[in-house]
C-alpha cells in the first residue's frame, strides 16, 4: 500500500527532558503499531535550527516516511515544510502554526507565564527578572507576556534582561544574572 512504516522525527535536542519523555512514549506506541522512528536532531544554534530542520524534513520526505513529528518551535514557525511536502502527515509536537493542515499539540506558554507571575506575586515578590536570551522566539514572547500579566494584578514589576547578548545560552544566562545582580539589586525573583 506504499507505506514505509517509518515515522520521521525532527527535534532540536533529544536531551531536553520534555522531548526525551515524549520520544520514549512515541517510540513505545509506534512499536506496538508496527512503526519505527527515524530521528533527526538539529543541535545547532537557534539561528540555524529552522534551516537545518527544513533540510531534515526534505530528507524524510525523500525517504517517503509515513508521517513526520516536529519538535522545535523555530522549525515550526518557519512552516516552509508544508508547501514542500503536501502529502506527508505532520504532527507538530510543540508550537503553534497558522496552517490548518497540521495537527498541533501546543504548550500554553502564556498561561504558564500568568500562573508563574501570580505565584511569585503571592509570595511577595515585587520586582521579578526575566532572562529573555539572545534569540527570541514566539514561546519566549508568550511566556514573557504571561508573566507580565500575572504580575500586573499585584503591581509587581517585570525586568527583562539578556536581549542583546550574542553569547551561547549558558554564557548568556550567566551574563544576564550578573547584570541583574549588578544593576537591579531590588530584584527578588
Amino acid at each position: 500500500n506504499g507505506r514505509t512504516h517509518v515515522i520521521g522525527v525532527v527535534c532540536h535536542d533529544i536531551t531536553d527532558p520534555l522531548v526525551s519523555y515524549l520520544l520514549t512514549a512515541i517510540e513505545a506506541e509506534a512499536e506496538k503499531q508496527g512503526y519505527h522512528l527515524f530521528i533527526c536532531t538539529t543541535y545547532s544554534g537557534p539561528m540555524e535550527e529552522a534551516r537545518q530542520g527544513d533540510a531534515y524534513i526534505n530528507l524524510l520526505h525523500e525517504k517517503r516516511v509515513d508521517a513526520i513529528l516536529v519538535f522545535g518551535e523555530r522549525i515550526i514557525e518557519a512552516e516552509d515544510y508544508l508547501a514542500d511536502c503536501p502529502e506527508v502527515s505532520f504532527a507538530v509536537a510543540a508550537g503553534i502554526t497558522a496552517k490548518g493542515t497540521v495537527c498541533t499539540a501546543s504548550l500554553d506558554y502564556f498561561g504558564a507565564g500568568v500562573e508563574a507571575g501570580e505565584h511569585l506575586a503571592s509570595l511577595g515578590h515585587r520586582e521579578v527578572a526575566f532572562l529573555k536570551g539572545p534569540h527570541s522566539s514566539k514561546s519566549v514572547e508568550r511566556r514573557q507576556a504571561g508573566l507580565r500579566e500575572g504580575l500586573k494584578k499585584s503591581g509587581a514589576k517585570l525586568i527583562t534582561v539578556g536581549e542583546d547578548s550574542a553569547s551561547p545560552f549558558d554564557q548568556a544566562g550567566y551574563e544576564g544574572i550578573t547584570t541583574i545582580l549588578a544593576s537591579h539589586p531590588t530584584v527578588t525573583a
Side-chain angles (χ1 to χ4, degrees), residues 4-184:
T4 59
H5 294 283
V6 174
I7 297 171
V9 178
V10 180
C11 63
H12 172 65
D13 183 357
I14 60 173
T15 63
D16 177 299
L18 177 61
V19 173
S20 64
Y21 175 79
L22 290 172
L23 283 177
T24 300
I26 291 165
E27 186 172 37
E29 185 59 31
E31 190 173 302
K32 285 181 194 174
Q33 302 295 328
Y35 283 84
H36 299 283
L37 298 185
F38 188 104
I39 301 172
C40 304
T41 56
T42 62
Y43 285 118
S44 57
M47 303 308 283
E48 292 294 312
E49 186 179 348
R51 184 195 58 75
Q52 224 174 3
D54 192 51
Y56 278 134
I57 289 168
N58 287 328
L59 171 68
L60 293 169
H61 181 239
E62 289 171 14
K63 298 295 180 189
R64 310 190 81 56
V65 298
D66 294 338
I68 298 175
L69 298 171
V70 181
F71 297 83
E73 66 185 284
R74 286 176 186 84
I75 303 167
I76 295 162
E77 288 171 1
E79 296 187 39
D80 296 339
Y81 54 83
L82 295 174
D84 295 340
C85 316
E87 71 280 6
V88 176
S89 297
F90 280 93
V92 180
I96 297 172
T97 178
K99 308 289 189 204
T101 57
V102 176
C103 301
T104 306
S106 301
L107 301 174
D108 183 5
Y109 295 110
F110 181 83
V114 169
E115 287 185 27
E118 289 173 347
H119 178 69
L120 290 170
S122 76
L123 295 174
H125 296 285
R126 293 298 169 254
E127 286 195 32
V128 176
F130 182 78
L131 295 174
K132 188 171 184 177
H135 305 289
S136 186
S137 63
K138 288 181 182 175
S139 67
V140 170
E141 291 167 11
R142 288 185 196 101
R143 215 175 286 127
Q144 181 182 12
L147 187 57
R148 183 172 281 115
E149 183 68 27
L151 292 170
K152 184 169 40 172
K153 296 173 187 172
S154 69
K157 179 180 174 184
L158 183 66
I159 298 166
T160 302
V161 178
E163 303 174 287
D164 301 325
S165 176
S167 302
F169 285 126
D170 55 349
Q171 183 65 29
Y174 176 80
E175 290 170 4
I177 291 169
T178 303
T179 299
I180 290 167
L181 295 175
S183 60
H184 302 286

